[in-house]
Amino acid sequence: MLRVRGEMIRGGTSKCWIFDHHDVVATGVDADTLLLAAFNAADPRQIDGVGGASSTTSKAAIVQLSDVAGVDVSYAFAQVGIGDERVEWTSNCGNCATAVALYAVHRGLVPITSDTTTVRMLNVNTGARLTGTIPTPGRTAPDEGTAVVPGTDALGVPVLLGFQDPAGSTTGRALPTGRPLDTLTGPDGPVEASLVDAGAPAALFDAKAFGLDGSESLAAFAAVVPALTVLRRKAALAMGLVREGAPVSHAVPKVGVVSGPVTYRTTHGHLVTQDRYDVAVRMVSMHAPHPAIGLTSAVALATAAATPGTLAHRVTRRTADGTLRLGTPAGVITARAVPAPDGASPTVLLHRAARRIARAELLVPVPEGRPV
Amino acid sequence: MLRVRGEMIRGGTSKCWIFDHHDVVATGVDADTLLLAAFNAADPRQIDGVGGASSTTSKAAIVQLSDVAGVDVSYAFAQVGIGDERVEWTSNCGNCATAVALYAVHRGLVPITSDTTTVRMLNVNTGARLTGTIPTPGRTAPDEGTAVVPGTDALGVPVLLGFQDPAGSTTGRALPTGRPLDTLTGPDGPVEASLVDAGAPAALFDAKAFGLDGSESLAAFAAVVPALTVLRRKAALAMGLVREGAPVSHAVPKVGVVSGPVTYRTTHGHLVTQDRYDVAVRMVSMHAPHPAIGLTSAVALATAAATPGTLAHRVTRRTADGTLRLGTPAGVITARAVPAPDGASPTVLLHRAARRIARAELLVPVPEGRPV
């Protein structure tokens, strides 16, 4: 029976177990073996492990100090299987990045030298660089705060999450086709699209082209998901993400509709008046409406909204300070695209929250001494 | 932000958080407030807490040394709400009792004086007395073992769980009607029943009376649940558990069918030949087939099987040492009814398993200093 330290931290609407790389190495087993056993990934209910048996509660990150210039800590994000003895290491998770930032401040991986502390992070899965800025009043790491994010009523420490130079992370260009506006042919004929690559590749359409106005509930938006699924394929081809005849991906690019702000009700029934946000967005997650918006999609939308000529730029209400409030089915998420030096694409900042739930020693049912 | 120590322990097929009573008192808030916040009970996904967002993973027990004669530790079992800010304190949980026993041995609440250690427990919710016997070779508390229970493939420390003097716990009599065999009128006419009260009140019927042979899958057994639901009401009246005209309970008594052993396949497809167990059982949980059998129902069945004249006694294969292997849809559970001194009803022993998953300090979002 191995033992390893870990912290259960909520980042936004995910629950992540965060481990120190040195602690993982010290166990003498590889990370896959350790996480599969610690989470009881083999069991669909994860009854013999620390996993929560849902995609948002079966996540881990392994963190270490980095010697890369401009990076404080690197982290590997793990999506741990549920009834499936596999760990996915192919993606990043913005929610877990938020948790990593809070962990790094608490564990002293970055020095606290003023009333706010910024953790510069490298996601080793994707190469993405992020920053997490946390209030550290009195030069102490906080355990509580009053920040909330759409999707949970829980309070947490505010974390300003920054995606650094997010443009072109997949294709090398913020506008993979070279144009802010393209025309794709969907099941009901040609439709305008803005194809952007920032945070993740995304294809954004005008809600009006589908007879929507952006106030739609998840159920109402579901009606256009089949058409958007067809258009996702066309967008993938146009952006050079796949070749004609290649297998269809249901994850790439992200796809959704945008519109100017209109008064709507969230999934939980809260009224959001049109003056409280700047752009309405309804995204697809695989084959269904996304309950809110993925953070990488939010980055794509914020980047598009800051790019003249795109659909998002056309419908978005301009604000004085560059803040962009995204009206999602779960509520309003605030993003901001700010200029970056040295020719980098604008940094996209998102206001998130994190909370340490538990500090633990995990007992992991792996025979000791199993080779790495 | 309060802090409190706790251990996440799997007991059988449940995940329980175990707390020391003194630690709970030291927080300065009442147990309901503490557990609701620690588990994030308000959220159906329990995303900001240690709860697992399912009935089997939203459980806690608060343990303390007892000065009651013949009792080592008492524990209060808590079923913590999921999207519901309530804690239920009305029932016992055999799986959590298993976890409590392992916790007590590890925390030194009972001395280890030989190669096995027995923890004598009082469940303060119901007054039930239980024992948990754990191997302690070399006089050390174990973290691992090779015991398994139906419903999970995970290995754990073997815990022999004993229900002490279980008969008549609700009605005062092992056979509430005074007879080992009664006749109740169901939707298809009169049917034989054995009405027993041990662990919990239970009404057991002959599978053959419903055209079954005890080898049925959950889906096949579901067909007779409506008839058994009608008979549950008749049994409740006959046992004096409710009065004519009183509201229908869907939990009391436990109800199910028994038969002699026949070869069958478990829900997960494993073949169980008829020589590998002694009595087939299919129980109802509320309005649906129980995936295995609740431990208190197992106690009722074991008591009935040891009582001449009951249906269970009639169909059960007699074994030389009094061991009773129950063939449930999830697999075989082994029970044993052994004579008790001083006129007490036979102790029912069940072979279970437990494993410590994590030792933790929980950070609980409750303002400090809130009065008890």
Side-chain angles (χ1 to χ4, degrees):
Chain A
M1 188 76 59
L2 293 178
R3 288 161 187 258
V4 64
R5 287 187 303 173
E7 296 199 7
M8 181 196 274
I9 305 183
R10 176 176 67 86
T13 51
S14 291
K15 208 147 49 172
C16 311
W17 277 95
I18 314 285
F19 301 95
D20 185 291
H21 174 74
H22 298 294
D23 291 337
V24 172
V25 170
T27 65
V29 298
D30 62 274
D32 285 70
T33 300
L34 188 73
L35 293 176
L36 291 172
F39 278 68
N40 192 204
D43 180 355
R45 298 185 305 141
Q46 297 186 333
I47 204 79
D48 195 50
V50 297
S54 74
S55 61
T56 51
T57 59
S58 190
K59 297 181 168 190
I62 300 173
V63 179
Q64 64 179 316
L65 280 173
S66 174
D67 53 14
V68 174
V71 176
D72 298 311
V73 298
S74 64
Y75 70 93
F77 167 67
Q79 182 75 49
V80 183
I82 302 168
D84 177 10
E85 290 192 270
R86 280 185 292 193
V87 181
E88 281 269 9
W89 297 100
T90 57
S91 60
N92 186 15
C93 170
N95 277 325
C96 285
T98 315
V100 167
L102 185 59
Y103 174 88
V105 170
H106 270 282
R107 291 294 292 270
L109 300 179
V110 289
I112 301 177
T113 58
S114 72
D115 282 355
T116 62
T117 300
T118 295
V119 183
R120 298 169 298 172
M121 299 176 279
L122 170 65
N123 172 245
V124 299
N125 310 82
T126 63
R129 294 200 183 195
L130 303 94
T131 53
T133 300
I134 296 174
T136 46
R139 303 198 180 176
T140 58
D143 266 327
E144 51 199 318
T146 57
V148 292
V149 300
T152 170
D153 292 332
L155 306 180
V157 174
V159 180
L160 184 64
L161 187 67
F163 288 77
Q164 307 293 311
D165 192 15
S169 49
T170 301
T171 64
R173 298 205 284 181
L175 300 173
T177 64
R179 294 177 296 269
L181 206 57
D182 283 273
T183 300
L184 301 177
T185 303
D188 303 313
V191 56
E192 282 186 317
S194 282
L195 308 176
V196 296
D197 173 15
L204 300 172
F205 300 88
D206 189 338
K208 289 191 181 58
F210 300 87
L212 307 178
D213 71 359
S215 69
E216 282 74 22
S217 68
L218 295 175
F221 177 56
V224 306
V225 168
L228 288 170
T229 302
V230 172
L231 285 160
R232 175 165 54 199
R233 177 68 177 175
K234 298 295 179 80
L237 292 165
M239 298 167 88
L241 297 168
V242 296
R243 264 187 289 246
E244 195 75 60
V248 171
S249 163
H250 301 298
V252 178
K254 312 287 186 188
V255 63
V257 304
V258 294
S259 86
V262 288
T263 296
Y264 74 103
R265 280 194 188 277
T266 67
T267 304
H268 283 101
H270 298 296
L271 191 73
V272 181
T273 53
Q274 65 86 29
D275 58 302
R276 287 195 39 223
Y277 71 106
D278 308 308
V279 61
V281 59
R282 297 292 181 271
M283 298 296 297
V284 178
S285 173
M286 305 300 279
H287 293 291
H290 193 293
I293 185 170
L295 296 191
T296 55
S297 294
V299 170
L301 174 51
T303 301
T307 305
T310 67
L311 278 169
H313 187 269
R314 186 163 85 198
V315 302
T316 298
R317 177 196 289 134
R318 227 67 65 216
T319 55
D321 64 353
T323 296
L324 180 70
R325 296 167 300 174
L326 316 179
T328 82
V332 175
I333 291 173
T334 302
R336 207 168 147 216
V338 298
D342 303 329
S345 58
T347 298
V348 176
L349 298 168
L350 295 163
H351 290 274
R352 305 298 292 170
R355 192 179 79 79
R356 295 206 299 170
I357 297 171
R359 301 167 57 207
E361 178 187 60
L362 279 62
L363 288 80
V364 186
V366 173
E368 290 187 58
R370 179 173 157 158
V372 177
Chain B
M1 189 76 60
L2 293 178
R3 287 160 187 259
V4 65
R5 285 188 304 174
E7 296 199 7
M8 181 196 275
I9 305 183
R10 176 177 66 86
T13 51
S14 291
K15 208 149 45 172
C16 311
W17 277 95
I18 314 285
F19 301 95
D20 185 291
H21 174 74
H22 298 294
D23 291 337
V24 172
V25 169
T27 64
V29 299
D30 61 275
D32 285 70
T33 301
L34 188 74
L35 293 176
L36 291 173
F39 278 68
N40 192 204
D43 180 357
R45 298 185 305 140
Q46 297 186 331
I47 204 78
D48 194 49
V50 297
S54 74
S55 62
T56 52
T57 59
S58 189
K59 297 181 169 191
I62 300 173
V63 179
Q64 64 179 316
L65 280 173
S66 174
D67 53 14
V68 174
V71 176
D72 298 312
V73 298
S74 65
Y75 70 93
F77 166 67
Q79 182 75 49
V80 183
I82 303 167
D84 176 10
E85 290 192 272
R86 280 184 293 193
V87 181
E88 281 270 10
W89 297 100
T90 57
S91 60
N92 187 14
C93 170
N95 276 327
C96 285
T98 314
V100 167
L102 185 59
Y103 175 87
V105 170
H106 271 282
R107 291 294 292 271
L109 299 179
V110 290
I112 301 176
T113 58
S114 74
D115 281 356
T116 63
T117 300
T118 295
V119 183
R120 299 169 299 171
M121 297 176 280
L122 171 65
N123 172 245
V124 299
N125 310 81
T126 63
R129 293 198 184 197
L130 302 95
T131 52
T133 300
I134 296 174
T136 47
R139 304 201 178 174
T140 58
D143 266 327
E144 52 198 318
T146 57
V148 291
V149 299
T152 171
D153 293 332
L155 305 180
V157 174
V159 180
L160 185 63
L161 187 67
F163 288 77
Q164 307 294 310
D165 193 16
S169 49
T170 302
T171 65
R173 298 205 284 182
L175 301 172
T177 64
R179 294 177 296 269
L181 206 57
D182 283 274
T183 300
L184 300 177
T185 304
D188 303 314
V191 56
E192 283 186 316
S194 283
L195 308 176
V196 295
D197 174 16
L204 301 172
F205 300 88
D206 188 340
K208 288 192 181 56
F210 300 88
L212 308 178
D213 71 358
S215 70
E216 282 74 22
S217 68
L218 294 175
F221 177 58
V224 306
V225 168
L228 288 169
T229 302
V230 172
L231 286 160
R232 176 163 54 198
R233 176 68 177 175
K234 298 293 179 83
L237 292 164
M239 298 168 89
L241 296 168
V242 295
R243 265 188 287 248
E244 194 76 60
V248 172
S249 163
H250 301 299
V252 177
K254 311 286 186 189
V255 62
V257 303
V258 294
S259 86
V262 288
T263 295
Y264 73 103
R265 280 194 188 276
T266 67
T267 305
H268 284 101
H270 299 296
L271 191 73
V272 181
T273 53
Q274 64 88 26
D275 58 302
R276 286 195 38 222
Y277 71 107
D278 308 308
V279 60
V281 59
R282 297 292 182 271
M283 298 296 297
V284 177
S285 174
M286 305 301 280
H287 294 290
H290 193 295
I293 185 170
L295 297 191
T296 55
S297 295
V299 170
L301 174 51
T303 300
T307 305
T310 68
L311 279 168
H313 188 267
R314 188 163 85 198
V315 302
T316 299
R317 177 196 289 135
R318 226 68 63 216
T319 55
D321 63 354
T323 296
L324 181 70
R325 296 167 299 173
L326 316 179
T328 82
V332 175
I333 290 174
T334 302
R336 207 170 147 214
V338 299
D342 302 329
S345 57
T347 298
V348 175
L349 298 168
L350 295 164
H351 289 275
R352 306 297 291 171
R355 193 180 78 80
R356 296 205 299 170
I357 297 171
R359 301 167 59 207
E361 177 187 60
L362 280 62
L363 288 81
V364 186
V366 173
E368 289 188 59
R370 179 174 157 155
V372 176

